[in-house]
Amino acid sequence: MEAEMDEIIAGLKTATIEKCPERALPLLKQISDNDTNLGEKYDIKGDLLELLQMDDSKMHVQVARCIAEVTKTDNQRAKFSHQDVIRRLTELLRVPSSKENSVDPIALELCTQLCRALGNICYANDDARTIIKDIGADERIFALLEYDVDMDDEDREQFVRVRCGLISNYLLGSDDLAERAVELKVIEKLERILTRCLADVDKHEELLLSVLPPLSILTEQISDLCFPASLNRTIAKLLARCTNPDIAESCLALLHYEAQNDDVKLLLAEEGLCETIYQLLEKYKTFANTDEARVLMKLACDLIVLILTGDKSMHFLYTTPLLKCMEDWLDSYDVELLTTGVLALGNFARSDSHCINMVENKIMHKLLSILAKNNGTEHQMTLQHALLSTLKNLVIPKPNKAAVIEAGLVDIILPMLEIHQPPVVFKLLGTLRMTVDGQEKLASELLQNEKLVKQLVYWSQTSEFTGVLGESLRLMAWLIKHAYQHKGNDGPAMDDTGLRKFVAIEGAVASLVGMLASTHLVMQNEALIALSILTTIFHSNKKSEDSGTLDRLLIEAGVGSKLAEQITLNGESMTKEIVENLQTFVKQLHGGSESLVTHLREHNIDELLKTIPSLVEYCTL
């Protein structure tokens, strides 16, 4: 085979020197059709460039085809990555002229082979891409998009594929190339083609499959690229009308990218895209039994949820049939549709009025029923996370709390303490924290739940997930705050069972003391409030053994060093509320045992308090 190729190459070089197209053409065809890799041994770049200079369209076609074939390998691709070759190829590249819906077949074939040659040269080749940009040949390449192709024969189908293949291979270079392409109106040219395809999407499948990838590449190369509103509308309409899953996937991916922008979210909402997706999924859900189909379904579902994350789009869609559609999906046996319904309702529940309506309309009961069947370690984490996120939003408005508690929320989610997946735990703790807000009875009951508090202590000391660690600490502080914040020294004797049980749990007090050094001022303040309640109640009965136990635990936890750290690092940024709570806590500590007072003195707490700017200001008024 190698000897045969030697002979062919030698013949080609002779034909080139003699400028004999009759001899060169069959040899070029042989090279193109031969499976032999030319590798490093052969260098025919000069000969082919020479042949390209001839005024012979048929010769140009065969030379371009030959270059396209040999540049499929890295070695030959490098040999042709020179300005003289690329300049000549692009000089020959022009939009095929057409008359009365017909086109010169030689001109179309030449354009096709030139696109193949340049596309293969550009493949993973920044040197070639840079040359094209530097000589301004990209403008000629993008002009090919202006050729209005009717897909009525195989030759035109190939041209459509290789035209956008060349553009895609070129755009996959640096972001500079993509930005220049935008300047050269590539998006507008692609939009015109897509708009024409709307008339008969199924007929133009091949055209769409070639035109959509360059748009995808542009979104990958240029961050925050915003399409014109008209293009986003066109893509949404294509999605509604297409039956080809590859086209649907491309449209969904493009819209998903564009919908990162809130204005686009609203535009797509107003276009009815979410309802369209709902109808498509309802139509094809029984066919979603392959991995590819499931991926497509998830992409579609994710787009509905993404659009609902925008405030304006969410409020708009709340007034449309989509709300009922998402409620209907709560009864779906398909976990993807069920999860999407839950997440969608969770986004609708970002408004207090929506939340109240959803509780009044018993949507909450449906959600709790679903969670009750999916609250174990063996159930799907994504669904659990979605349910807890939505319930957390629903329980935030004060009018909803009693109804949600009465419906059994706490009893349903407490078994989920066995789950140790950080995203689920984070939402679980946040939901509980929102639920106990202002609910004295519930907070008191949960504070006496030894299993819960032990788990909170464990997570607060061991979790590598910052959100879980923070929520564990905050929930402990909130339980104490809401169980005892309204109790004073007057009236009947206080039931301090919950606090005594809390203090008795190993590490509980230490966790709250550690919270004083949090980087978040809100958490520092919550720790101060909880610790003040603890010390106030325990120190009210100094003869009690519990008072001494608390003081010992506070000293062992290094309360003095934590307070010193808090004041030193955050004194200048403390709000008036934090300063007042800090003063209250320190005053309570001074009412403790002698050893606790000595501990505070050793860490110079009283003097450090005087350095807080806002406190100094109070004193000098």
Side-chain angles (χ1 to χ4, degrees), residues 212 215-216 219 227 235 250-259:
L212 290 169
L215 283 174
S216 297
T219 63
F227 292 158
I235 297 171
S250 294
C251 291
L252 284 168
L254 286 169
L255 293 173
H256 203 285
Y257 175 88
E258 287 294 299

Side-chain angles (χ1 to χ4, degrees), residues 28 121 148 172 192 205 295 311 398 413 425 454 479 498 503 537 566 615:
L28 288 168
I121 292 172
D148 195 10
L172 281 167
R192 279 196 289 273
E205 277 189 2
V295 168
D311 286 338
K398 289 185 178 179
I413 64 176
V425 174
K454 281 184 176 179
L479 290 177
V503 170
I537 293 175
Q566 182 187 26
L615 201 58

Side-chain angles (χ1 to χ4, degrees), residues 529-545:
I529 293 170
L531 287 167
S532 294
I533 291 171
L534 270 176
T535 51
T536 297
I537 293 175
F538 275 70
H539 288 169
S540 64
N541 186 3
K542 287 191 176 183
K543 295 181 181 180
S544 167
E545 183 180 327

Side-chain angles (χ1 to χ4, degrees), residues 16 43 59 63 69 72 94 120 122 145 194 269 277 283 291 324 347 369 376 432 439 442 453 481 494 539 582 615:
T16 303
D43 188 349
M59 176 64 72
V63 173
E69 295 300 331
K72 289 179 179 179
R94 56 181 60 91
N120 287 343
C122 281
L145 293 169
L194 294 177
I277 292 175
K283 181 178 180 181
D291 290 343
K324 179 64 168 60
N347 278 295
S369 175
L432 277 174
Q439 303 301 305
L442 176 62
V453 177
K481 172 185 173 181
M494 185 185 306
H539 288 169
L582 179 59
L615 201 58

Side-chain angles (χ1 to χ4, degrees), residues 5-19:
M5 184 55 70
D6 287 344
E7 186 178 337
I8 295 172
I9 297 297
L12 178 66
K13 288 182 178 294
T14 302
T16 303
I17 293 171
E18 296 175 354
K19 298 188 182 331

Side-chain angles (χ1 to χ4, degrees), residues 77 121 171 207 269 298 379 389 439 465 496 523 573 585:
R77 189 176 299 124
I121 292 172
L171 291 176
L207 185 55
K298 186 175 189 327
H379 295 119
S389 297
Q439 303 301 305
F465 190 76
D496 59 0
M523 290 179 63
S573 58
F585 180 45

Side-chain angles (χ1 to χ4, degrees), residues 7-131:
E7 186 178 337
I8 295 172
I9 297 297
L12 178 66
K13 288 182 178 294
T14 302
T16 303
I17 293 171
E18 296 175 354
K19 298 188 182 331
C20 181
E22 292 79 8
R23 290 184 59 189
L25 284 171
L27 293 170
L28 288 168
K29 188 174 188 306
Q30 282 183 275
I31 295 172
S32 299
D33 294 341
N34 200 301
D35 293 333
T36 304
N37 186 339
L38 298 188
E40 286 283 358
K41 181 177 179 180
Y42 304 106
D43 188 349
I44 57 173
K45 172 251 184 182
D47 303 295
L48 297 185
L49 180 58
E50 187 69 29
L51 293 171
L52 282 174
Q53 306 303 326
M54 299 176 68
D55 186 16
D56 186 330
S57 295
K58 290 184 179 179
M59 176 64 72
H60 296 160
V61 169
Q62 285 302 324
V63 173
R65 178 170 178 256
C66 187
I67 293 174
E69 295 300 331
V70 300
T71 53
K72 289 179 179 179
T73 64
D74 292 340
N75 288 331
Q76 290 295 323
R77 189 176 299 124
K79 292 180 189 296
F80 285 85
S81 299
H82 293 280
Q83 188 175 123
D84 52 359
V85 178
I86 293 174
R87 184 184 295 278
R88 183 55 182 158
L89 289 171
T90 53
E91 283 174 351
L92 294 169
L93 189 67
R94 56 181 60 91
V95 178
S97 59
S98 58
K99 292 180 180 178
E100 296 180 359
N101 203 34
S102 65
V103 65
D104 178 4
I106 296 296
L108 182 61
E109 176 66 9
L110 175 58
C111 196
T112 298
Q113 296 304 329
L114 288 168
C115 285
R116 289 186 65 230
L118 287 164
N120 287 343
I121 292 172
C122 281
Y123 177 74
N125 187 351
D126 285 335
D127 291 340
R129 292 166 178 148
T130 302
I131 291 170

